[in-house]
Amino acid sequence: MSTAEPDIRPGEIAVPLPETFDAGVYFIGRIRTPWKRRDECPKNARGSDSECVIELDPRYAAGLDGVAGCSRLVLLYFMHQARRDLMVQRPRHHTAPRGTFSVRSPVRPNPIAMSVVRLVRVEGTTLSVVGLDCLDGTPLIDIKPYFASVDSVPDAVVERSKADSE
Amino acid sequence: MSTAEPDIRPGEIAVPLPETFDAGVYFIGRIRTPWKRRDECPKNARGSDSECVIELDPRYAAGLDGVAGCSRLVLLYFMHQARRDLMVQRPRHHTAPRGTFSVRSPVRPNPIAMSVVRLVRVEGTTLSVVGLDCLDGTPLIDIKPYFASVDSVPDAVVERSKADSE
């Protein structure tokens, strides 16, 4: 990636990335959503109750055994259109620059998003879910059961130095 | 990976993986834990209140701005010692074979684990956290803020067809 990216905004900081990757990922399916362009996506998953569809590559079909019993799932997916070199960034709905690891923006060294979704139904290798905010066609990289015992922390807080939306 | 893996257990199903990866990840740091061998690791993150240390590569230091304000973080890390081809597996503490996407085992096509941890302190590029169960030296791939508003679902359930621990 060029060190002179044209679209850096005031206050943003880009760093040179390593020359090689350390490991590889497989795209194991695709996520179908109603949103074809970045500016159509909900600001975050709370913003939408649209049903979205996970199309799992049939190669991995046997891995779905037992998934239908999960009321919630953790999905990991690859935000393949995001740049990876910004360590301080100014997402479109934020007023102040933010450290990359303090925001959920797709812009990060490994553009892997995590969403907790409600499972509506499983039909073959197709899962209908609610709670996504990503672009149509986003590559899926993992499906996990959500365990309230370890994943749910209702009183977790994020303190911001400035009043701002997350 | 050979199609004749020697260590497949009764009831497990392996599939041929794609010949090439679809995307790459950077290891952005290392996780220091008290556990040097698989059989020393807690069964899951509930099993331990040990303080673990995240050593972030200083290249990414600027990305930590704002992280200290998060009481909980989502960590993604790469279980680089896990095999990736089992779609039905029998993790060591389970009695019945399980679909890979219905368990949190490191064995999966993309061996990326997700843990919600409590942030104890940030010192430079070192983060002390509680809530991990992985091997010492595990590669880190992402740090995210945990937002109770989207990530916490206290009443989520996982129904199993057999009485068994997760």
Side-chain angles (χ1 to χ4, degrees):
Chain A
M1 182 169 288
S2 162
T3 53
E5 281 284 336
D7 57 346
I8 199 163
R9 299 174 205 173
E12 292 190 331
I13 297 175
V15 299
L17 291 170
E19 291 185 5
T20 57
F21 292 119
D22 296 297
V25 295
Y26 302 113
F27 294 165
I28 65 168
R30 291 277 164 185
I31 302 178
R32 296 293 162 201
T33 77
W35 309 294
K36 308 290 184 194
R37 298 194 323 268
R38 223 21 220 291
D39 59 2
E40 294 175 343
C41 294
K43 182 185 136 188
N44 62 43
R46 275 171 298 178
S48 174
D49 55 6
S50 296
E51 200 167 294
C52 299
V53 173
I54 311 300
E55 297 173 349
L56 184 70
D57 181 334
R59 172 196 301 267
Y60 306 107
L64 289 177
D65 184 51
V67 166
C70 303
S71 71
R72 292 290 199 287
L73 297 171
V74 173
L75 300 183
L76 300 183
Y77 44 101
F78 206 83
M79 310 298 280
H80 59 312
Q81 298 186 14
R83 65 186 289 178
R84 301 173 68 154
D85 62 337
L86 290 187
M87 287 306 109
V88 175
Q89 57 184 283
R90 196 173 237 171
R92 59 190 162 112
H93 53 280
H94 290 186
T95 57
R98 292 270 175 76
T100 287
F101 302 122
S102 77
V103 295
R104 292 284 275 265
S105 154
V107 174
R108 50 209 317 116
N110 294 305
I112 298 172
M114 185 280 282
S115 287
V116 178
V117 300
R118 178 165 61 82
L119 178 61
V120 177
R121 85 187 74 84
V122 181
E123 293 172 308
T125 52
T126 298
L127 284 69
S128 298
V129 303
V130 170
L132 288 171
D133 57 6
C134 61
L135 282 172
D136 185 49
T138 297
L140 177 73
I141 60 176
D142 202 9
I143 300 171
K144 301 177 189 293
Y146 180 95
F147 291 116
S149 54
V150 289
D151 300 323
S152 179
V153 186
D155 61 355
V157 294
V158 178
E159 291 175 7
R160 298 298 192 189
S161 51
K162 295 172 187 264
D164 201 344
S165 63
E166 74 189 39
Chain B
M1 184 169 285
S2 162
T3 53
E5 281 284 337
D7 56 346
I8 200 163
R9 301 174 204 173
E12 292 190 330
I13 296 175
V15 299
L17 291 169
E19 292 185 2
T20 57
F21 292 119
D22 296 297
V25 296
Y26 303 113
F27 295 166
I28 66 169
R30 291 277 163 184
I31 301 178
R32 296 293 163 201
T33 77
W35 309 294
K36 309 290 185 195
R37 298 195 323 267
R38 213 41 209 286
D39 60 2
E40 295 175 341
C41 294
K43 183 184 135 187
N44 62 42
R46 273 173 299 180
S48 173
D49 56 5
S50 296
E51 200 167 294
C52 299
V53 173
I54 310 300
E55 297 174 347
L56 184 70
D57 181 335
R59 173 197 301 266
Y60 305 107
L64 288 177
D65 185 51
V67 166
C70 303
S71 71
R72 292 291 199 288
L73 297 172
V74 173
L75 300 183
L76 300 182
Y77 45 99
F78 205 84
M79 310 298 280
H80 60 309
Q81 298 186 14
R83 65 187 287 178
R84 301 173 68 156
D85 62 336
L86 289 188
M87 288 306 108
V88 174
Q89 58 184 283
R90 197 172 236 172
R92 60 192 162 111
H93 53 279
H94 290 186
T95 56
R98 292 272 173 78
T100 288
F101 302 122
S102 78
V103 294
R104 292 283 276 265
S105 153
V107 173
R108 49 210 317 118
N110 295 304
I112 298 172
M114 186 280 282
S115 287
V116 177
V117 299
R118 177 166 62 83
L119 178 62
V120 178
R121 83 186 76 85
V122 181
E123 293 172 308
T125 52
T126 299
L127 284 68
S128 298
V129 303
V130 171
L132 288 171
D133 57 6
C134 60
L135 281 173
D136 185 49
T138 297
L140 177 73
I141 61 175
D142 203 9
I143 301 171
K144 302 178 188 293
Y146 180 94
F147 291 116
S149 55
V150 291
D151 300 322
S152 179
V153 186
D155 61 355
V157 295
V158 178
E159 291 175 7
R160 300 294 192 192
S161 53
K162 295 174 186 261
D164 201 344
S165 62
E166 73 189 43

